[in-house]
């Protein structure tokens, strides 16, 4: 035991980087080792930033610090996520720590494709361990890897693991612990002498340029990668070492290529010769027929059939959102109303009761009603991601993406934006072409994110008829929802075309994406994704939405002038006196008798109730109109009137600019404040249906609902999105541009919708 503790204390806080090709299970392994729940998915490019986690020993002390990295096919980084890998391996991330050990996660089902990166990382001559992952799948595909032979050929420990089942993790940790003691790695690559001479010259040049002052050493072996394909790293070293370095690099490159073979070809030839030797020695494959995967691919990526299947899947998603969620949603709605009523009964009438019932419960409750839809949408997306369909959809749409100036690589960021734009914008890091990356970021907020879903659901549920088409296969409501998603997509296409022809011109890059294997979606991954999203939704409802709701409540409640109460009390008094008089006269009258008299008395009683309720309603409405919010709303009204909206809607939309979820909460609060107590228990949907202008005309109808939804589909009401665009482009120009163009489009779109729908649909 003593030795065990000593050994672990000696290796305390060792920094271990997990590198490897995309989709090899790095994050799954990271989660398994650290207990974290970082996002995994069955397509390349899920991780685009680093995650750090600790592995503790049995005494609770930190044993290893693990760094999960994005996937990369080569160290010649061309995209932002690949640059992160290089920075991490060379100790150039913000903490400036060079990893003590590099664990390369290799996919055992496809070792040949993974060994290219392995050969480059081994050239860094760092303590390295290979985690040969997915051996379960390799066995099923009859791929046998001789671990001992592979270890000898690579000159470093190779540990077979199954990250999803946590198999082999202990051996892996032991290998990491012992890796520093292992002899330094040598990779036996057969570089031509001209290249080795160039590397030598470059090495001397770099040492002179940095003059011993730079604390980052540039490994001589890494210069081979740099010479062949510098990418991001070349720019970084040119900045660091100055122009002399660049001209030295150019001279050496031209010396090598004088013999006629391009550098990329030399690198490929040399590395693959080595890879083939390794594979011949250490990997054997059994005979297999055409895989189910290949058969499925022929269908799913077929030009016509593939697109039809994609459309069908999308349709099924929207239909299920309606079909499954409505009963749950009604139950949540009912429960929230019941809680509101209970609290109202429990607290004495006054500001505190109103704050709790009209502010907190009505506001946050109005948003929480939409939790079931959010969960269904995410379950659907998670299944598509984890079974491997997502990458096929990207391939399928590549041709169309090319048409609008983007590559298939833009598809995944855009698709992720349907869930939430912020990770969608981060996912653009995998796009190496800067122009295409910026276009993708600028149009990503047009994809209908899940925060818009509640708005669509509210207005579709209230104003679109629940008619079923094709014998109940699909409903008009689901079609309108699909239509809202299409509005954003169609406008995004037009916008991308416009940007491509004007400020961001250039040719699309070829589409290179490895197709992940089809797998049964893992229940744990799928449910975890939905759970995470549901949690985030509830947290935002409980924090930002709650806070805004309180502010809106306060603005809508105060000044709560006593004069309004006095005036309405007088009206109540007058009505009561008048009708009670009439009742007592009737009671004493001898002209009317028997059941007639009882009926007339009943009528008068009823009349009194109605009139008193109307006075209550007037009073609540008057309080709201005279409140700070009401006055602000009246300034806004002329601005939103052309869109068919009233001041309450205008106020809710403006309150929703920092985060669009706030809109529903604001509406919930405003409508509860404007109602008398009996009507509080009615859901927001009903309140919108019932609300009327003073002349008795309904405030909301189908054209108004469509105009609101189109506004939400096109507007950029999300501070998080704008901040993400700023961070990723390192400039204020693009977020400002995004906000300006989307807000203008939203206004024009909503106006056109209102005008056209009023003409044709009413
Ligand atoms: N059967 C099996 N599946 C695995 C194993 N390890 C990972 N997976 C699956 O492989 C897919 C990719 O896993 P990730 O952990 O996201 O891969 P990654 O290397 O982090 O991917 P990027 O971040 O995109 O580079 C997921 O669907 C995992 O569930 C394994 O050992 N066996
Ligand atoms: Mg990952």
């Amino acid at each position: 035991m003593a030795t065990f503790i000593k050994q672990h204390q000696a290796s305390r806080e060792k920094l271990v980087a997990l590198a490897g090709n995309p989709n090899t299970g790095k994050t799954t392994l990271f989660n398994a080792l650290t207990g974290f729940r970082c996002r995994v998915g069955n397509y390349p490019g899920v991780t685009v930033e680093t995650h750090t986690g600790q592995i503790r020993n049995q005494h609770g002390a930190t044993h290893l610090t693990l760094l999960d990295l994005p996937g990369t096919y080569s160290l010649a980084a061309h995209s932002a996520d690949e640059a992160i890998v290089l920075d991490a391996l060379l100790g150039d991330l913000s903490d400036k720590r060079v990893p003590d050990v590099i664990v390369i996660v290799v996919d055992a089902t496809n070792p040949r494709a993974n060994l290219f990166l392995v050969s480059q990382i081994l050239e860094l001559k760092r303590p390295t361990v290979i985690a040969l992952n997915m051996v379960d799948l390799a066995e099923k595909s009859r791929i046998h890897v001789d671990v001992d032979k592979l270890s000898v050929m690579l000159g470093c420990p190779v540990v077979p693991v199954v990250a999803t089942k946590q198999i082999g993790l202990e051996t892996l940790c032991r290998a990491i612990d012992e890796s520093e003691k292992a002899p330094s790695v040598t990779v036996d690559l057969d570089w031509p002498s001209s290249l080795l001479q160039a590397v030598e010259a470059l090495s001397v040049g770099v040492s002179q340029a940095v003059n011993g002052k730079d604390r980052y050493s540039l490994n001589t072996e890494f210069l081979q990668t740099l010479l062949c394909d510098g990418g991001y790293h070349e720019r970084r070293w040119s900045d660091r070492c100055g122009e002399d370095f660049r001209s030295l690099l150019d001279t050496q490159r031209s010396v090598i290529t004088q013999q006629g073979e391009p550098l990329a070809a030399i690198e490929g030839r040399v590395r693959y010769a080595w890879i083939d030797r390794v594979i011949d020695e250490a990997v054997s494959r059994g005979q297999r027929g055409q895989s189910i995967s290949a058969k499925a691919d022929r269908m799913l990526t077929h030009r016509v059939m593939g697109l039809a299947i994609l459309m069908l899947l999308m349709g099924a998603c929207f239909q299920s959102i309606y079909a499954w969620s409505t009963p749950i949603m009604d139950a949540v709605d009912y429960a929230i109303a019941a809680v509101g009523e209970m609290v109202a009964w429990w607290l004495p009438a006054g500001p505190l009761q109103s704050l709790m019932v009209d502010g907190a419960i009505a506001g946050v409750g109005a948003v929480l009603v939409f939790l079931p839809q959010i969960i269904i949408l995410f379950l659907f997306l998670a299944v598509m991601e984890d079974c491997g369909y997502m990458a096929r959809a990207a391939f399928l749409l590549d041709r169309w993406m090319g048409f609008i100036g983007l590559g298939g690589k833009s598809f995944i960021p855009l698709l992720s934006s349907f869930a939430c734009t912020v990770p969608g914008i981060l996912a653009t890091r995998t796009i190496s072409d800067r122009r295409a990356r910026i276009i993708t970021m600028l149009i990503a907020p047009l994809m209908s994110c899940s925060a818009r879903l509640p708005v669509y659901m509210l207005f579709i549920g209230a104003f679109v008829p629940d008619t079923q088409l094709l014998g109940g296969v699909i409903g008009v409501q689901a079609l309108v929802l699909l239509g809202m998603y299409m509005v954003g997509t169609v406008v995004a296409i037009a916008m991308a075309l416009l940007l491509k022809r004007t400020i961001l011109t250039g040719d699309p890059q070829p589409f290179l994406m490895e197709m992940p294997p089809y797998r049964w979606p893992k229940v744990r991954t799928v449910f975890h994704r939905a759970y995470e999203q549901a949690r985030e939704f509830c947290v935002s409802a409980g924090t930002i939405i709650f806070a805004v709701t309180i502010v809106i409540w306060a603005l809508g409640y105060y000044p709560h002038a006593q004069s309004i109460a006095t005036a309405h009390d007088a009206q109540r008094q007058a009505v009561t006196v008048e009708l009670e008089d009439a009742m007592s006269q009737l009671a004493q009258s001898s002209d009317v008798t028997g059941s007639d008299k009882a009926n007339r008395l009943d009528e008068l009683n009823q009349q009194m109730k109605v009139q008193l309720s109307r006075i209550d309603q007037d009073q609540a409405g008057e309080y709201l109109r005279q409140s700070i919010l009401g006055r602000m709303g009246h300034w806004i009204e002329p601005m939103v009137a052309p869109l068919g909206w009233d001041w309450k809607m205008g106020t809710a939309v403006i309150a929703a600019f920092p985060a669009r979820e706030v809109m529903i909460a604001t509406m919930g609060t405003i409508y509860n404040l404007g109602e008398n107590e009996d009507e509080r228990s009615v859901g927001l949907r009903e309140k919108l249906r019932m609300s009327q202008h003073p002349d008795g005309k309904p405030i909301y109808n189908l054209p108004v609902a469509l105009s609101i939804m189109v506004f939400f589909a096109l507007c950029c009401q999300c501070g998080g999105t704008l901040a993400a665009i700023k961070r990723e482009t390192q400039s204020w120009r693009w977020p400002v541009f995004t906000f300006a163009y989307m807000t203008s489009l939203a206004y024009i779109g909503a106006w056109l919708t209102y005008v056209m729908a009023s003409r044709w649909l009413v």
Side-chain angles (χ1 to χ4, degrees):
M1 177 58 83
T3 18
F4 177 79
I5 297 169
K6 211 168 152 198
Q7 189 184 337
H8 280 253
Q9 277 172 348
S11 59
R12 243 181 121 210
E13 296 272 18
K14 199 187 275 184
L15 182 66
V16 181
L18 287 180
N21 280 27
N23 209 34
T24 51
K26 297 175 294 300
T27 308
T28 312
L29 186 61
F30 174 83
N31 288 345
L33 288 168
T34 58
F36 274 48
R37 291 290 192 91
C38 294
R39 212 179 128 198
V40 298
N42 187 16
Y43 61 89
V46 178
T47 311
V48 288
E49 54 193 343
T50 58
H51 303 124
T52 312
Q54 263 83 35
I55 306 182
R56 297 183 185 281
N57 65 16
Q58 64 202 102
H59 304 281
T62 302
H63 165 202
L64 301 171
T65 297
L66 221 58
L67 193 63
D68 180 29
L69 296 175
T72 181
Y73 293 102
S74 151
L75 287 187
H78 288 278
S79 55
D81 58 333
E82 291 168 349
I84 292 175
V85 180
L86 201 61
D87 282 342
L89 295 184
L90 300 180
D92 219 5
L93 287 182
S94 56
D95 63 356
K96 302 288 179 210
R97 272 189 78 182
V98 180
D100 301 296
V101 182
I102 302 172
V103 172
I104 313 176
V105 183
V106 167
D107 175 358
T109 64
N110 198 1
R112 192 169 191 272
N114 287 230
L115 285 178
F116 191 90
L117 178 72
V118 171
S119 75
Q120 289 184 328
I121 295 183
L122 289 178
E123 280 180 336
L124 297 177
K125 295 199 173 220
R126 297 277 179 66
T128 306
V129 176
I130 306 283
L132 188 67
N133 192 27
M134 306 199 191
V135 282
D136 56 332
L137 296 177
E139 266 167 32
K140 277 193 198 143
S141 310
R142 304 214 206 138
I143 298 169
H144 175 72
V145 181
D146 186 329
V147 172
D148 296 330
K149 268 195 193 151
L150 188 64
S151 171
V152 171
M153 294 207 70
L154 302 184
C156 66
V158 176
V159 183
V161 291
V162 181
T164 39
K165 295 186 187 140
Q166 313 213 340
I167 298 173
L169 304 190
E170 255 178 54
T171 323
L172 181 66
C173 286
R174 217 171 304 127
I176 294 170
D177 273 347
E178 288 163 3
S179 61
E180 278 172 312
K181 289 183 228 136
S184 131
V185 181
T186 39
V187 211
D188 189 15
L189 292 178
D190 208 2
W191 293 109
S193 55
S194 58
L195 194 131
L196 293 176
Q197 280 161 13
V199 165
E200 196 53 46
L202 209 57
S203 163
V204 174
V206 168
S207 318
Q208 283 168 356
V210 297
N211 201 14
K213 285 181 208 136
D214 200 304
R215 60 193 195 82
Y216 311 104
S217 66
L218 187 60
N219 208 308
T220 343
E221 277 73 10
F222 184 65
L223 287 177
Q224 283 141 359
T225 303
L226 185 58
L227 250 175
C228 295
D229 183 356
Y232 158 80
H233 201 59
E234 179 174 333
R235 257 178 285 134
R236 212 179 62 162
W237 275 90
S238 303
D239 292 346
R240 193 171 283 166
C241 304
E243 270 311 301
D244 289 353
F245 172 77
R246 176 165 286 285
S247 56
L248 186 63
L249 195 61
D250 289 343
T251 318
Q252 295 306 328
R253 279 180 177 161
S254 57
V255 171
I256 308 169
T257 46
Q258 259 167 15
Q259 281 137 26
E261 196 180 8
L263 273 162
I266 298 177
E267 182 174 25
R269 179 169 56 77
V270 171
R271 292 200 193 277
Y272 277 107
W274 174 81
I275 291 170
D276 287 340
R277 279 203 306 277
V278 176
I279 297 282
D280 282 349
E281 279 286 320
V283 182
S284 58
R285 254 170 213 274
Q287 283 292 320
R288 299 190 74 216
Q290 194 191 30
S291 66
I292 304 171
S293 172
K295 283 183 202 153
D297 267 352
R298 266 194 293 157
M299 207 162 72
L300 293 179
T301 58
H302 188 270
R303 280 182 192 195
V304 183
M305 209 181 344
L307 268 183
I309 294 173
L310 180 65
M311 281 294 159
L312 220 87
L313 281 173
M314 292 294 179
C317 174
F318 293 123
Q319 179 64 8
S320 54
I321 287 180
Y322 270 97
W324 299 342
S325 66
T326 311
I328 318 172
M329 196 178 144
D330 288 344
V332 179
D333 211 355
Y334 181 78
I336 290 165
V339 171
E341 271 181 73
M342 228 168 66
V343 175
W345 170 81
W346 190 55
L347 288 174
L352 182 64
Q353 188 206 58
S354 177
L355 169 69
M356 290 308 295
V357 180
D358 306 324
I361 298 174
V364 174
V367 177
L368 283 185
V369 168
F370 299 98
L371 189 60
Q373 282 93 333
I374 303 277
I375 294 178
I376 294 174
L377 179 73
F378 277 92
L379 284 176
F380 212 88
L381 282 177
V383 169
M384 295 231 303
E385 276 176 13
D386 214 40
C387 70
Y389 180 71
M390 209 67 124
R392 269 78 189 181
F395 174 77
L396 196 65
L397 294 175
D398 177 52
R399 179 203 321 255
W400 304 98
M401 301 295 279
F403 170 67
I404 60 169
L406 301 173
K409 277 222 165 165
S410 296
F411 177 75
I412 286 186
L414 292 178
L415 198 73
S416 312
S417 302
F418 278 109
C420 176
T421 319
V422 176
I425 284 170
L426 289 194
T428 62
R429 287 183 180 179
T430 58
I431 305 169
S432 49
D433 175 20
R434 185 170 158 77
R435 181 198 59 86
R437 189 175 173 213
I438 292 185
I439 298 185
T440 311
M441 275 191 247
L442 298 188
I443 63 168
L446 283 168
M447 304 295 122
S448 266
C449 66
S450 57
R452 284 160 167 128
L453 189 61
V455 179
Y456 299 153
M457 295 295 294
L458 176 68
F459 285 95
I460 292 178
F463 300 103
V464 175
D466 183 16
T467 316
Q468 295 298 313
L469 302 175
L470 303 173
V473 175
I474 195 150
V476 174
Q477 294 188 326
L479 281 180
V480 174
L481 182 64
L482 189 63
M484 283 305 134
Y485 278 78
M486 295 305 289
V487 167
T489 313
V490 169
V491 172
I493 292 174
M495 203 56 211
L497 277 173
L498 190 75
L499 289 169
K500 175 193 160 193
R501 304 241 157 101
T502 52
I503 46 177
L504 291 160
T505 50
D507 292 324
Q509 300 269 306
F511 181 56
L512 290 171
M513 185 188 274
E514 202 180 349
M515 288 297 128
Y518 288 107
R519 288 189 198 126
W520 283 111
K522 293 198 180 47
V523 178
R524 200 181 139 108
T525 311
V526 169
F527 278 98
H528 182 68
R529 180 89 203 278
Y531 163 76
E532 278 292 300
Q533 213 56 42
R535 202 183 57 146
E536 215 166 276
F537 187 75
C538 293
V539 168
S540 83
T543 50
I544 170 162
I545 295 177
F546 179 72
V548 176
T549 302
I550 301 300
V551 173
I552 295 287
W553 169 83
L555 292 175
Y557 188 81
Y558 291 107
H560 215 73
Q562 184 55 42
S563 56
I564 297 174
T566 319
H568 285 85
D569 280 346
Q571 283 181 28
R572 269 185 215 103
Q573 182 83 27
V575 166
T576 318
V577 169
E578 186 192 322
L579 287 170
E580 276 178 358
D581 270 0
M583 280 193 259
S584 69
Q585 275 174 24
L586 186 66
Q588 286 157 17
S589 152
S590 52
D591 299 348
V592 194
T593 51
S595 63
D596 242 11
K597 191 182 242 181
N599 284 347
R600 294 273 301 274
L601 276 172
D602 242 17
E603 261 172 38
L604 285 173
N605 230 330
Q606 207 52 37
Q607 209 179 330
M608 181 143 83
K609 265 194 197 151
V610 170
Q611 289 202 16
L612 287 177
S613 162
R614 192 168 304 139
I615 296 171
D616 285 353
Q617 172 86 44
D618 275 357
Q619 181 174 351
E622 191 60 21
Y623 273 138
L624 188 61
R625 265 190 299 281
Q626 296 296 325
S627 68
I628 308 172
L629 191 74
R631 288 177 207 184
M632 280 164 46
H634 286 289
W635 296 338
I636 298 167
E637 198 154 30
M639 226 162 42
V640 297
L643 314 182
W645 309 351
D646 73 332
W647 72 267
K648 292 180 189 169
M649 187 64 223
T651 313
V653 167
I654 289 183
F657 264 92
R660 46 176 75 84
E661 298 93 320
V662 164
M663 182 267 197
I664 301 266
T666 309
M667 296 283 277
T669 301
I670 295 181
Y671 273 91
N672 239 37
L673 278 172
E675 301 297 341
N676 66 35
E677 273 157 38
D678 297 340
E679 283 167 328
R680 275 179 180 164
S681 57
V682 180
L684 181 57
R685 217 177 348 166
E686 272 313 305
K687 283 187 186 143
L688 295 182
R689 276 201 201 123
M690 293 180 330
S691 56
Q692 294 177 338
H693 285 292
D695 60 8
K697 269 204 221 145
I699 293 183
Y700 296 96
N701 54 13
L702 187 57
V704 177
L706 290 174
S707 145
I708 293 165
M709 287 192 281
V710 167
F711 187 90
F712 270 80
L714 300 179
C715 196
C716 185
Q717 294 163 298
C718 180
T721 297
L722 296 173
I725 298 180
K726 152 80 179 62
R727 201 174 50 234
E728 295 299 307
T729 57
Q730 303 278 316
S731 145
W732 274 111
R733 191 158 65 120
W734 297 117
V736 169
F737 176 78
T738 308
F739 181 78
Y741 99 77
M742 285 186 68
T743 311
S744 322
L745 269 183
Y747 192 87
I748 297 168
W751 175 72
L752 278 177
T753 307
Y754 179 63
V755 172
M756 291 194 303
S758 302
R759 177 164 305 173
W760 290 316
L761 296 181
V762 182

